[in-house]
Amino acid sequence: MRLTTERLELEPITADCVDDIVSVVRSNPAFLMLHHGSGERAQLLDREVLKRDIASADADPDLIPLVVRLRETRELVGWAELLVDHPRDRVPWVGLLELHADQHGRGLGREAAQAFLDWARHSGATALRLGVDDGNHSAMVFWTDLGFVPVDRRTRAAPSGPLGVTVLEHAL
Ligand SMILES: CC(C)(COP(=O)(O)OP(=O)(O)OC[C@H]1O[C@@H](n2cnc3c(N)ncnc32)[C@H](O)[C@@H]1OP(=O)(O)O)[C@@H](O)C(=O)NCCC(=O)NCCS
C-alpha cells in the first residue's frame, strides 16, 4: 500500500530501510524508553530486532508497516504501522507513527495522520482508533488536536510492567 500527501510518501517497509529506521528510533529516546521499556528490548533495539519485526509483520496480512519519506528528496523521515481490523474493536488502528526528531513540528505528522484517516474512510470503516501510552503527553496533544477523542482506558504489558493506555477514536 502507498499513501501520498503534499510532502510525504508512505510506502511498504523493506529490509534495506532498517538502518534509517534505527536512526529514527534512536532520535526519540524518551519514546523508545516509554514504548520498549528500559530493559533488554530497548538495549537490543538494533538492526537484527527490527529485521525480525519486519519479517513477522510481513506474515500478518492485517498489519501494514510503512516507511515515511519526503517526496522531494526520498529521505526516510519516519515509520508507521496500520492495522486493518483491530481484533477487539473491529475498526482500523494506527499501531505506530514515529517521525525523526529533526522533523518534528513541521506539520508532517498531521499530514500522515490525515492520510490515515482518508485511508480508513475509503476502506469503509466507521472510525479510526489508536492507543496513547500514559506519559506520552505530546502524542496526546497531537492526536486530540486532530480531532481524536478518548473512548476507553486499557492496560498493556510493557517490558517495565503494566502500562496504562488511552484509546482515542476519530469517527469517519
Ligand atoms: C507525535 C508526532 C508523530 C507528531 O508529529 P509532528 O510532525 O511533530 O506534529 P505536527 O508538526 O504535525 O503537529 C501537529 C499538531 O500537533 C500538536 N503537537 C505536535 N507535537 C507536539 C508537542 N511536542 N507538544 C505539544 N503539541 C504538539 C500541535 O497542536 C501541532 O499543531 P501546530 O503545529 O498547529 O502547533 C511526532 O512528534 C513523533 O514522531 N513523536 C515521537 C513518537 C510518538 O510519540 N508517536 C506517537 C505515538 S501514539
Side-chain angles (χ1 to χ4, degrees):
M1 186 176 81
R2 191 174 291 270
L3 300 173
T4 305
T5 73
E6 190 188 336
R7 288 175 292 173
L8 300 175
E9 190 99 54
L10 291 91
E11 58 190 34
I13 287 187
T14 51
D16 60 348
C17 299
V18 166
D19 286 339
D20 290 333
I21 295 173
V22 168
S23 298
V24 170
V25 169
R26 294 200 172 141
S27 77
N28 293 307
F31 183 65
L32 176 63
M33 291 290 276
L34 189 65
H35 214 63
H36 299 291
S38 55
E40 193 188 357
R41 195 178 149 90
Q43 297 302 321
L44 285 176
L45 192 74
D46 60 11
R47 305 181 79 255
E48 295 314 311
V49 174
L50 269 173
K51 272 187 189 163
R52 261 206 322 269
D53 283 359
I54 292 168
S56 59
D58 263 358
D60 183 345
D62 260 4
L63 269 186
I64 308 177
L66 298 166
V67 290
V68 183
R69 292 186 186 278
L70 296 178
R71 283 176 67 185
E72 202 177 333
T73 60
R74 299 280 303 151
E75 182 187 351
L76 191 154
V77 293
W79 64 325
E81 189 176 87
L82 298 173
L83 188 57
V84 173
D85 185 35
H86 189 282
R88 175 167 168 182
D89 298 332
R90 310 314 317 190
V91 292
W93 265 64
V94 180
L96 174 76
L97 172 61
E98 181 173 15
L99 301 178
H100 195 289
D102 291 351
Q103 303 288 341
H104 291 182
R106 300 179 53 212
L108 297 176
R110 188 191 296 268
E111 279 191 33
Q114 292 294 354
F116 299 157
L117 286 166
D118 289 344
W119 161 77
R121 198 174 287 118
H122 288 133
S123 74
T126 54
L128 179 65
R129 288 188 173 189
L130 56 93
V132 176
D133 290 340
D134 285 357
N136 194 350
H137 305 295
S138 56
M140 187 59 93
V141 176
F142 169 73
W143 292 111
T144 52
D145 208 55
L146 283 158
F148 284 80
V149 293
V151 290
D152 202 3
R153 285 281 303 163
R154 294 181 194 167
T155 306
R156 76 171 177 89
S160 50
L163 184 62
V165 177
T166 300
V167 178
L168 300 179
E169 176 178 293
H170 196 302
L172 300 171

